[in-house]
Amino acid sequence: MTGSKVKRITYCDAIREALREEMKRDEAVYLIGEDIGRWGNLFGATKGLLQEFGPERVKDAPISEAAIAGCAVGSAVMGMRPVVEIMYIDFITIAMDQIINHACKYHQLSCGTVNVPVVFRTQGGVGMRNSSQHSQSLENWFVNVPGLIVVMPSTPYDMKGLLKSSIRNNNPVIIIEHKSLYFTKGDVPEDEYVVPIGVADIKREGTDVTIIATSWMVLHALEAAEKLAKEGISCEIVDPRTLWPLDKETLVNSVSKTRHCVVVTEAPAEGGWSSEAATVVTEKCSGDLKKPVKRICGMRTGIPYGKIEKSVVPNDEWIIAGVREVLE
Amino acid sequence: MDRDKLLGLYRQMLVLRHFDEMCLDLKMKDLIMDGFHPYSGEEAVAVGVCTNLRPDDAVISTHRPQGHSIAKGSTPRQIFCEMLGRRGGVSQGIGGPMQWIDTPNNFFCGSIVGSGITIATGIAMAMKREGKGRICVCFFGDGASNTGSFHEGLNLAAIWKLPVIYICENNQYGEAMPVREFVSVYPISKRAASYGLEGVMVDGNDVEEVLAAVEKGVTAARSGDGPVFIEAITYRTRGHYGGDPEYTYRTRDEVEWWRKKCPIARCKARLLEEGVEESVLIALEQEVVRELESDLAWALEQPFPTVEQATDHVMIPLAEGGRLK
C-alpha cells in the first residue's frame, strides 16, 4: 500500500470518497440515478453529495433505467462524464439497449471520434435476502460485450482506486459492487491514489494452489486459506479486480508457480467468466498443471428468499473442498 | 414562402428521393449487403426539420437514417459509401445502411427502435448545461411510440425541460403492422399530453407546413421552454426494406393514393404556381441526378475496409500493463 498514513473505512465510504474526489477534480463528472441525492443511495454511498455539489451534479432520476442510461450515454457523447447508478444489477435488464447497443458501439461507429466515458455503478450478489429478482450475479453477460470494461472490486482500497480510474477512463465501464461488502472495512491511504484497470492483485501469497476469486468470493477464499494454512496447505489468492480486460499474466504466473488452480465465482459456471479464467490458465499453463482446473460457482438457480439464500452460492467450505480435490 | 427558399427545399428533397431510388437499385444488385430501408415519400419531414437547424445542433436518427443524415449535412458520397460498406463512409463502411455516426455533423444513430429517444435526453441535457442554445432533434417512427424508451425518455425530458424536438414520423406502418392496430390512442401526438407537452400534428408531406411547425418548436426549445413534440403524418411509398413483400400488408390502391400526395410533386406544383418555369425545375432535377451519379461512381471506387480495420476503435487502449495515463 502506498502513502505513509492510512485510515480504516468501509467499502461504502470508499465509493463516496472516490465520487467526491473525482467530482471535485473534474467539473464534467456528475451522478445520475434513483435515490442517489436526497436519500444518498440505499447504503449511503452517495450520502451528502447532493448537499455538497447541488442538484445539477447529483441528479435524482425517476425510476426509468432506460432513460437514465440513455441520458448518460447522450451526455457523455457531448463531453460530460456521468456516473450512473443502477440500484440493483437486476434492473439493468431495462437499460441493456442503451448500454450494449449504444454506449459500447458509438466509439467504433464514429471511427474513434466519439468517446463514451460512462461509469455504470451497480450492485449484485446475495446478502440482503432479496430473492431472485434482486440478488443476481450477472457479470458474465457484460464480459462478453466488446467495448465494455467490467470491474468487480473486493476491498475498500480497490473500490476507491478502481472507481477513480473508471471515472477517468474514456471507455464505458460497468463497476459491480457487492451488497455483502458495503460495510466491510479496510485500510485506504490518506493520500490520493488510483488502482489501474486491468491489473490483478495477489490478496494472499502461497505456494500450493492458486485460488482465483472475484468480489465477495475473495473474502471466502481468504477464510478458506486461513483454515487450510492450519493443515499446512498454502493458498495463493488472486483477485483479478477487472474481469475485462483480464490480467492474464498475473493469473498465469501464479498458477505456473503453484501448479494447481481453483476458480471461484458467485455467478453460475455455465457460459461464464469462470470458464474464461479456467481456459486462460489451461491454455497457458498446461505443462505446469498437475490437475485440471476446478471451478466453484453459484448454483444455476434463482436465488431463494430468506434463510437459504447463501446456501446456493460458494462459501469457504465449498472452496476448501475444491482445494482438497485439486491437491488430492 | 420566399421562392428561392422553396426552390432550395425542393432541390434537397430531390436529392433525398434520387439517392433513395439509386440505393434501391444498389440493393437489387446486392451491392447494398444489408437490408436497405427506403425513405421515399417522407422527404418533406427530413428537409423541413433539418432546414431549421444549426450545424452545431444534434440529430439522432432511426434505422432509416439516410434522409435525416443528408438533410442534416452528411454528403451523399459519404452515405453512398456507408450503404456500400466502403471506406469513405462516415463510419468507414463499418456501420452499414442502418447505423452510422457523423461526428462533425453532430449526427448519431439510434437504429434500435425507440432507443434514440433516451439518448436524446442526455445530448439535450449537456446542451442545456452548456448554455449555447443548441438543441437536439430526435427522429423516430410510429412504432417507437410503443417502446418503453419513448415513455421513459419523454418523461425525463419533460420534467427536466430539456431542449429536444421530438419528430414522430408517422409513416403508417411499423414494419408490416398498420399503425391504427398497434397504438392505443390515435394520433400519436395525443400521447405527448401525458408528459405535459403539446402534441402538434402536421401534414408530413407538405414541406412548408413541416418547416413552419418546426421553426416554432425550435424557437421554443432554444429559449428553454422544454421539449416539443411534432407528429408528421406521412407515408413510405416503398416497402419496409428494399424488396419486402409489401402487398401482403397493404394494397396497391393505398400506395397509389399516397403517391398522389407526393411531397416533391406538391412542392413542384407550388413552385409552378409561383411562376417558376418548368424547364428550370427539370434542369434542376437533371443536375441533382448527375451529381448523385458522380457521387455514386466515386463511392464505388472506394476500397472496402480490411479485416484488421474491423477491430479498430472497439476500445480506447489502456496504457501498458493496463495502467492509465
Side-chain angles (χ1 to χ4, degrees), chain B residues 6-21 39-45 47 203-208 234 237 258-272 281 284-285 288:
Chain B
L6 194 60
L7 207 54
L9 299 174
Y10 178 69
R11 189 183 199 285
Q12 274 208 60
M13 289 197 289
L14 284 174
V15 170
L16 265 50
R17 172 68 55 90
H18 285 288
F19 181 89
D20 230 65
E21 296 295 317
Y39 194 65
S40 279
E42 305 180 37
E43 295 87 352
V45 187
V47 170
D203 179 347
N205 282 20
D206 182 339
V207 70
E208 290 177 272
T234 183
T237 47
W258 277 95
R259 280 211 174 111
K260 287 188 187 115
K261 289 165 67 89
C262 169
I264 298 176
R266 280 164 73 177
C267 188
K268 185 175 181 178
R270 284 272 301 121
L271 285 162
L272 293 172
L281 298 179
L284 185 76
E285 187 158 3
V288 163

Side-chain angles (χ1 to χ4, degrees), chain B residues 65-79:
Chain B
Q66 61 274 13
H68 307 148
S69 196
I70 295 172
K72 179 63 172 49
S74 307
T75 66
R77 278 187 175 203
Q78 291 173 310
I79 305 309

Side-chain angles (χ1 to χ4, degrees), chain A residues 222-239:
Chain A
L222 286 165
E223 286 164 26
E226 200 61 40
K227 289 180 182 171
L228 287 163
K230 290 177 184 143
E231 305 173 16
I233 297 170
S234 167
C235 303
E236 179 148 298
I237 297 170
V238 180
D239 176 0

